[in-house]
């Protein structure tokens, strides 16, 4: 047994409002840079829907994740190492800008500079790639709230799959359909196929907390990780020519505070905590033959943080006491392992994803309400869960490789919680038989309700700080505060400097072609603009942009 | 032997080597962040998927041809019983297809750069200079090959002068005299290659030096500890609103 710690997130989908606050704050924090205009480390998809990038779940096309080869061993779906190297000169499977969208801005200048006339001036959309006029025809959430789903909804790979199996049409007429939101970040997988695909070995998993990062200095732009990740959560920065991904806000986490998306979540639907898991059994768990057994296998390698043997082994591996305590208080452990109401997204990709989801009961509640039924009665809810095949099958395709039984069990627990709490709220006592019907006790149901519904900040986020023996590493964060051209922007001198390589990913390594002293480093110059230091301007212009 | 010859064939090669090696080390230390293929497949894929493999696989062949032609003395192949005629026929049969693949691949890639608006917008001055010199080297290289093919065995036998000169460079005893009377086209091919090599470390061509052969040998999953390495300040991401987007609206 090799015990390792993993930070993990759980999203309770019933509580997502679809407000996109998480996406926006994440973008402001991480991807408001040139080359990352189209990059959404956090995106919120309306399901049914195509997702972002379009139809990323269609692995027959995109070849993300792992499969089992003839010998029953894990192999990258996109091919073995030789195949990858022989086809490196142009990646055979690579999402294009058209699979995401062409980023744009608006020509606001026209609003104030247009000459006086009869027509109202407009701010025309301009492509951020070519600078020319552009037509906007897709975005990261084009089919938000089922917008246009009557046209595109049938292209949802999961809808297609269910339809194939049941020969039934999922209806996309308003009022007859169901809908929920699926916020997505990188899964910080235990068995990441992005990492396995990287020819340079630039992607790594941190031993301390399991966060998966791209070393911006070692990435050479081969882009195999983008093919490799089945969730398409590695993006290509088309300006810097390097791969980028969600960082799990590691600078914040190291200080014991949650990610930006979780911190700003309006629905308070995110939970962050620690898992202890057995790293020696990851490959074995990811290689079980039947897709539908992957969820159980994944759950199996999550270790009990109260087990004395686990604690002993964890200490032997150098995991600190504070981390073990955090694992014992971990909300994600409770939701995923104790109550088994959180499920991994697409376990069949075999990457062992570490962002889990509590599936939404709301599509079923909504359908009950629409038909005028009491959506809080246990019988109604259980009956609906058993009979409403399509939402359940859809959820099963997302979270359990199609095993509806697991999804039904989870939904019934959520339904039981609802029914149980109604009695209490109305001044009565909770009925123990409701809890028993889903294999729990009333006490457990109540605790589950507390965590799901009314828990406070420090119950939702149990994040141990990074150990301060390593504190000097955290100083790196400081330089992101130093602005362009500030004193922090001086470069190490190549020959006289220490020549030490910078930390793997550097949040603070912003740069600018112009140096603090006004000179221009010619190799940093991207060929655009007219830096004064290179083209002295007698007309007195300002410094290069 | 005049001063110019001595400079071109006895001094310049060493200057180029110093720039190539020194520049590469310098860039490796100083600019890891800029060390990338700067792929443009995000913008355009259809043409690239044909042109880029054509060009790169062609290069592998051309590189092989150069190694054999320049490094293996004629006496060695003769000792194996390979006559000059056989050698040259072989060189042409192998060389011309590879050379044409490179040339054709590059022409298509440049065409794509020029005509696809997104790709063109992402093309830097460094790219443009690199393309011009790369193209020039290749055109002269193919030129001399095809030219000697047409001349048959009256063609210039570079294995008698250029190759020994090339090898003499490594012994630090450049035999400059050998180079005085070689045809002009060969001279151009070599001098342009010098220019390309001198530019190499400062363009995207550095990606060739980090061809990821080690992928075959590393474990799939890479664990790394959080810290320990010293933090340096280097080139990094560009802030929003930099030249490539809002400021170049047309
Ligand atoms: C074996 C080592 C090499 C590998 C693995 C390699 C791989 C690549 C890759 C992946 C690209 C990006 C294509 C794209 O997506 O846009 C590229 C582009 C390029 N490579 Fe290489 N390359 C190698 C050697 C070379 C050499 C030796 C040269 C030149 C002499 C070269 C010249 C170029 C050029 C000019 C481009 C730009 C293509 C374009 O977008 O217009 N490469 N290379
Ligand atoms: S979800 Fe994240 S860790 Fe998993 S394969 Fe994709 S990029 Fe890698
Ligand atoms: S901020 Fe929270 S509630 Fe809003 S979309 Fe994001 S996850 Fe959903």
């Amino acid at each position: 047994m090799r015990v390792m710690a993993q930070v993990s997130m759980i999203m309770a989908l019933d509580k997502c409002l679809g407000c996109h606050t998480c996406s926006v704050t994440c973008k402001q924090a991480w991807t408001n840079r040139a080359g990352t205009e189209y990059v959404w480390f956090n995106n919120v998809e309306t399901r049914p829907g195509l997702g972002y990038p379009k139809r990323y779940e269609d692995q027959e096309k995109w070849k993300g994740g792992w499969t089992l080869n003839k010998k029953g061993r894990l192999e990258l779906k996109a091919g073995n190492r030789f195949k990858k190297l022989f086809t490196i000169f142009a990646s055979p499977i690579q999402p294009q800008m058209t699979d995401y969208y062409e980023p744009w801005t608006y020509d606001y200048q026209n609003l104030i500079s247009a000459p006086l006339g009869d027509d109202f001036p407009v701010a025309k959309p301009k492509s951020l790639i070519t600078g020319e006029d552009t037509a906007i025809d897709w975005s990261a959430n084009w089919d938000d709230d089922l917008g246009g789903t009557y046209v595109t909804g049938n292209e949802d790979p999961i809808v297609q799959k269910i339809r194939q199996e049941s020969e039934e049409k999922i209806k996309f007429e308003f009022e007859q359909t169901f809908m929920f939101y699926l916020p997505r970040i990188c899964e910080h997988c235990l068995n990441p196929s992005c990492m396995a695909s990287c020819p340079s070995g630039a992607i790594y998993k941190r031993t301390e907390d399991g966060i998966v990062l791209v070393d911006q200095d070692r990435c050479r732009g081969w882009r195999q990780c983008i093919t490799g990740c089945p969730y398409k959560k590695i993006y290509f920065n088309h300006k810097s020519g390097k791969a980028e991904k969600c960082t799990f806000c590691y600078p914040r986490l190291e200080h014991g505070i949650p990610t930006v998306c979780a911190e700003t979540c309006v629905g308070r639907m995110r939970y962050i905590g620690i898992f202890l898991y057995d790293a020696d059994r990851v490959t074995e768990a990811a290689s079980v033959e039947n897709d539908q057994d992957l969820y159980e296998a994944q759950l199996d390698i999550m270790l009990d943080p109260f087990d004395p043997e686990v604690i002993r082994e964890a200490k032997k591996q150098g995991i600190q006491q504070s981390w073990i305590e955090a694992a014992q208080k971990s909300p994600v452990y409770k939701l995923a392992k104790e109550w088994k109401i959180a499920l991994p997204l697409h376990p069949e990709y075999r990457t062992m994803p570490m962002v889990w989801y509590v599936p939404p009961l709301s599509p079923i509640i909504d359908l009950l309400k629409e038909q005028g039924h009491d959506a809080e009665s246990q019988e109604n809810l259980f009956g609906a869960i058993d009979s409403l095949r399509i939402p359940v099958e859809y959820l099963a395709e997302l979270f359990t490789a199609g095993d509806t039984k697991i999804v039904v069990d989870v939904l019934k627990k959520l339904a039981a919680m609802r029914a149980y709490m109604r009695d209490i709220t109305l001044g009565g006592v909770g009925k123990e038989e409701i809890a028993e019907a889903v294999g729990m006790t009333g006490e457990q149901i109540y605790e589950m309700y507390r965590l799901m519904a009314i828990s406070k900040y420090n119950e939702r986020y149990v994040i141990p700080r990074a150990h301060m023996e390593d504190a000097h590493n955290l100083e790196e964060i400081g330089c992101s505060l130093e602005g362009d051209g500030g004193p922090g922007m001086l470069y190490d001198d190549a020959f006289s400097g220490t020549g030490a390589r910078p930390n793997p990913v550097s949040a603070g390594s912003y740069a600018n072609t112009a140096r603090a002293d006004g000179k221009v480093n010619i190799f940093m110059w991207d060929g655009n603009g007219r830096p004064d230091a290179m083209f002295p301007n007698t007309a007195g212009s300002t410094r290069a942009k | 032997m005049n001063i110019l010859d001595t400079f071109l064939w006895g001094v310049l090669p060493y200057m180029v080597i110093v720039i190539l090696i020194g520049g590469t080390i310098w860039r490796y230390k100083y600019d890891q962040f800029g060390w990338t293929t700067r792929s443009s497949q995000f913008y355009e894929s259809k043409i690239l998927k044909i042109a880029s493999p054509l060009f790169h696989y062609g290069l592998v062949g051309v590189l092989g041809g150069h190694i054999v032609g320049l490094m293996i003395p004629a006496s060695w192949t003769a000792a194996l019983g390979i006559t000059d005629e056989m050698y040259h026929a072989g060189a042409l049969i192998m060389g011309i297809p590879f050379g044409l693949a490179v040339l054709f691949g590059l022409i298509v890639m440049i065409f794509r750069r020029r005509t696809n608006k997104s790709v063109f917008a992402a093309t830097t001055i460094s790219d443009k200079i690199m393309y011009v010199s790369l193209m020039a080297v290749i055109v002269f290289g193919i030129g001399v090959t095809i030219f000697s093919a047409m001349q048959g065995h009256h063609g210039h036998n570079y294995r008698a002068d250029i190759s020994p000169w090339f090898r003499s460079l490594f012994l630090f005893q450049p035999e400059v005299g050998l180079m005085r009377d070689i045809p002009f086209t060969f001279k151009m091919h070599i001098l342009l290659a010098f220019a390309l090599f001198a530019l190499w470390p400062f363009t995207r061509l550095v990606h060739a030096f980090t061809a990821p052969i080690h992928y075959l040998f590393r474990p799939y999953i890479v664990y790394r500890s959080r810290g320990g390495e010293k933090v340096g300040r280097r080139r990094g991401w560009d802030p929003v609103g930099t030249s490539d987007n809002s400021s170049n609206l047309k």
Side-chain angles (χ1 to χ4, degrees), chain A residues 288-304:
Chain A
V288 296
E289 197 187 329
N290 187 344
D291 281 353
Q292 297 194 342
D293 296 336
L294 280 158
Y295 161 63
E296 283 295 340
Q298 173 164 338
L299 211 53
D300 243 24
I301 57 173
M302 301 294 135
L303 299 170
D304 177 359

Side-chain angles (χ1 to χ4, degrees), chain A residues 68-106:
Chain A
L68 294 181
N69 65 15
K70 284 191 206 91
K71 286 186 232 147
R73 305 250 311 260
L74 280 179
E75 192 178 275
L76 288 172
K77 201 170 168 82
N80 64 24
R81 301 180 197 233
F82 287 100
K83 183 173 172 201
K84 292 215 144 274
L85 283 193
F86 279 118
T87 55
I88 198 169
F89 301 118
S91 173
I93 302 149
Q94 195 72 34
Q96 303 290 286
M97 189 160 69
T98 45
D99 296 303
Y100 301 91
Y101 61 93
E102 183 160 349
W104 73 88
T105 184
Y106 294 93

Side-chain angles (χ1 to χ4, degrees), chain A residues 469-483:
Chain A
E469 305 84 270
D470 307 331
H472 60 280
N473 296 318
L474 302 184
E475 283 162 19
E476 179 197 0
I477 298 155
C479 47
S480 64
L481 303 174
E482 289 161 41

Side-chain angles (χ1 to χ4, degrees), chain A residues 88-89 223, chain B residues 39-40 48 55-56 59 113 131 204 207:
Chain A
I88 198 169
F89 301 118
R223 295 154 295 117
Chain B
S39 165
S40 54
L48 185 84
F55 169 78
H56 282 94
L59 271 181
R113 285 229 157 234
Y131 275 113
R204 65 154 76 194
H207 73 269

